[in-house]
Every structure is written in C-alpha cells, then in structure tokens.
Amino acid sequence: MSAVPDTIIETEGLRREFTVGRRRARRRVVAVSDVDLRIAPGEAVGFLGPNGAGKSTTIKMLIGILVPTAGRLQVCGLDPTRQRRELARRLGVVFGQRSQLWWDLPLRDSFELLGAIHRVSEPEQRTRLERCTEVLGLDGFLDVPVRQLSLGQRMRGEVTAALLHGPQLLVLDEPTVGLDLVSKERLRAFLQEVNIVDGVTILLTTHDLPDVERLCRRVVVIDQGRVVADDAIDALRARSGGAREVVVELTAPAAPLEGLPGVREVRVEADGLRQRLAFTPGDTTAAALISAVAARAELRDVTVVEPSIEDLVRRLYAQD
C-alpha cells in the first residue's frame, strides 16, 4: 500500500455549479457551495443530509467523477481529477445504486477480476477474501451469479470488492440497505474493525442513524450545498434538540409515566396503553429507561425510535 498522507480528504472553498434548461431559459444552479472539509487518516466520518443536499455531488468530486467549478481538493494526497487512476488504487467505493460487480458472473469471479485490475498479489487477495467471507458470511453464495443475489447479499459482496485492494479511504453509500438486523450488526462490527484495526478511513453516507452511531465519531451535515454542522454526533443532537423516544405498550392502561430520570416529555396514546417517552442520550439510556418503566408498569412491547437524519438536519438548518 502507498504511504498514508497527513490528510486523507482536504477541501477548501469547494464549489460545483450546473447549467440547466435550454437556450434562453438556461440558468446556473449551485449544487455545492464553499465546502471546507478536512479528514485525517483513520477517522470515521458520517456525511449526512437530506436528499438533494449535495452529498452525492460532493462525493463525485472527491472520487474524481466530477470536476469542481471552483475551490481546492485533495484526496489521499492526490488531485482526484488529474490523478484519478492513481487515486482508484487507494480508494474503495460502495454505491447503493451502482455496482462494481459483473452482473452475469459468479461473485467469486468478480473478486478475481477486481484483484487483477488492481494488481493485488494472490496471497494478499486470498487473505482479504477469506477474512471477508468468514465475517460477512459469503460462503453460501460465492459461486452464485451476481444477478441472482438478494440486495443484502450483493451489498456484502460490494463491501468485500471495495476492500480487496487494501484502500486507504472507504466511501460507503447506504451500506446496510436490504440487510436484516443480524446482518446489519455483523457488517457494522466488520467495518468498525476495518477502521480501528486496519486504519482505513471511512466516509459514510446513510439515512440509518444507528450506522452512524456505531461507526462514526464525527458527523458532517450538509444542506442546500453548504456544511451546516461538523461535530460529534452527541453534540449534533444537543445542538439540534433532537431526542430519542422509547415507545412502551402496556398490558393495562396507566397514568402518564412522568418523573422518570432523563425523560423530557411523555405523550399518552390509546387511553394510556401506549406511551411515548422522549429522552436525550446524554441524560439517560434506552436500557435504563425501559428498566424504570418496568418497575412501574407491566410491559407488553417496547420500541426505541431514533430521530431521523432529515429531522436533525431540518432543525440545524432552521437555526442557521
């Protein structure tokens, strides 16, 4: 692997404009405006925002697909536009809507072809593939054509393909989409290991907040082409006022479960059979809150509801 630079991603005043419309109706649309970003080696950063915020445009500039209209940009110590081929050797990318696998070939053959393209030695490729196969549970479908794989199986294959050449930077777009809860947790644990043990820098875009909480220590939020927050996820929640909810279904109607430690608001539904308890993670935990509720009432069911990324971004943007 090439030497790791001091900064994996560095942008200054990054801007991208598009011309839309025809002839006299043409106009300039700014998709990304003055984005300053610095990501150090080994960081795991969530890059979040609602649809149309500018995430995809920014990522396309980072990996060399789009040329910036203005600003300065370096990724893995390289200019993504002028040194795109060299950058490809240091970069792993997983896009939910685009596949790097060969549709009609078995998964195993796609891995062999990608290894040859990246000029990975046979021992290195074997070691990495064996590790991914064991952790991600690929054994049962390595010889199945990609077009016959479920979405969850294909996503596990995509992550493996992105790691076979030992990249310095891994860019992930909705990596847990289509996975069941057990498979999601296995993939999150594996990506966390890749980040912490192997030192691979991760840039993650997702609408699944648990992915961000498990993998990322830092969050960058973009909306309408501008960075509106760059902070730890707990600080992001505190700034936005976002809260989690524990929704409890009781076996019998009960008075509002008020006075529980860390609870900000109690909403009662279904004549007291269902109650929604809003709390901030810094004040208490879901486990502690559920235990406190169980001490006061008999539970039939419990659900933990996460604030959506869209809600957090909406609050942040409204404050700016």
Side-chain angles (χ1 to χ4, degrees):
M1 183 187 291
S2 305
V4 179
D6 293 336
T7 304
I8 292 292
I9 294 175
E10 186 171 2
T11 74
E12 184 177 349
L14 191 64
R15 184 179 182 87
R16 176 66 197 197
E17 300 176 357
F18 294 95
T19 301
V20 299
R22 295 183 179 180
R23 296 182 180 178
R24 294 182 182 179
R26 286 184 180 179
R27 58 190 177 92
R28 301 288 283 178
V29 174
V30 178
V32 173
S33 179
D34 300 323
V35 169
D36 296 336
L37 188 61
R38 185 181 177 90
I39 297 178
E43 280 197 272
V45 179
F47 189 53
L48 312 179
N51 293 332
K55 300 190 303 294
S56 295
T57 300
T58 302
I59 287 174
K60 287 175 182 177
M61 288 189 283
L62 293 178
I63 65 179
I65 294 176
L66 286 177
V67 179
T69 305
R72 189 175 65 85
L73 170 63
Q74 272 200 337
V75 178
C76 299
L78 303 170
D79 182 320
T81 302
R82 298 177 181 176
Q83 298 170 287
R84 186 176 174 186
R85 182 173 295 182
E86 177 60 29
L87 179 60
R89 297 191 179 99
R90 307 187 189 188
L91 182 68
V93 180
V94 176
F95 280 143
Q97 303 301 319
R98 292 180 177 270
S99 178
Q100 59 193 313
L101 304 171
W102 278 263
W103 202 242
D104 293 315
L105 294 181
L107 194 57
R108 190 190 306 274
D109 290 358
S110 285
F111 294 153
E112 290 181 5
L113 282 169
L114 287 167
I117 289 171
H118 288 290
R119 300 178 184 177
V120 181
S121 69
E122 187 176 337
E124 282 183 308
Q125 173 149 335
R126 187 186 314 115
T127 299
R128 290 174 185 146
L129 182 55
E130 286 175 355
R131 179 186 179 194
C132 291
T133 298
E134 179 181 355
V135 177
L136 298 179
L138 307 181
D139 248 336
F141 51 88
L142 276 174
D143 295 308
V144 175
V146 172
R147 58 183 165 77
Q148 295 180 12
L149 299 178
S150 69
L151 178 57
Q153 290 172 333
R154 183 172 65 79
M155 289 305 295
R156 282 182 275 170
E158 297 283 358
V159 171
T160 300
L163 291 170
L164 284 178
H165 58 293
Q168 295 175 355
L169 171 64
L170 182 61
V171 179
L172 301 166
D173 180 11
E174 302 287 358
T176 62
V177 64
L179 299 182
D180 58 50
L181 292 176
V182 174
S183 297
K184 278 187 178 185
E185 185 53 34
R186 289 178 69 179
L187 181 55
R188 288 168 184 157
F190 177 59
L191 292 172
Q192 189 174 47
E193 179 183 320
V194 165
N195 172 240
I196 295 173
V197 178
D198 300 342
V200 177
T201 305
I202 290 179
L203 183 65
L204 168 69
T205 69
T206 182
H207 288 84
D208 194 341
L209 198 55
D211 284 354
V212 181
E213 291 181 314
R214 179 65 185 271
L215 296 173
C216 302
R217 295 172 289 281
R218 173 183 166 199
V219 174
V220 175
V221 180
I222 187 171
D223 195 15
Q224 298 188 16
R226 295 179 179 273
V227 172
V228 297
D230 185 348
D231 215 331
I233 190 167
D234 288 342
L236 169 66
R237 274 209 186 93
R239 180 182 166 190
S240 68
R244 282 173 165 173
E245 276 189 343
V246 168
V247 182
V248 294
E249 304 276 352
L250 306 177
T251 57
L257 296 167
E258 296 175 342
L260 296 174
V263 174
R264 295 172 47 180
E265 181 185 6
V266 179
R267 286 184 291 148
V268 178
E269 300 174 356
D271 296 324
L273 282 172
R274 182 187 306 113
Q275 301 197 24
R276 297 178 176 270
L277 312 176
F279 71 98
T280 301
D283 297 333
T284 187
T285 65
L289 187 52
I290 292 167
S291 296
V293 171
R296 288 178 52 174
E298 187 175 348
L299 294 173
R300 186 169 63 85
D301 197 8
V302 176
T303 305
V304 179
V305 179
E306 303 285 348
S308 71
I309 295 298
E310 288 83 356
D311 287 343
L312 292 179
V313 172
R314 196 176 298 115
R315 293 191 189 101
L316 285 167
Y317 195 75
Q319 294 169 13
D320 286 8

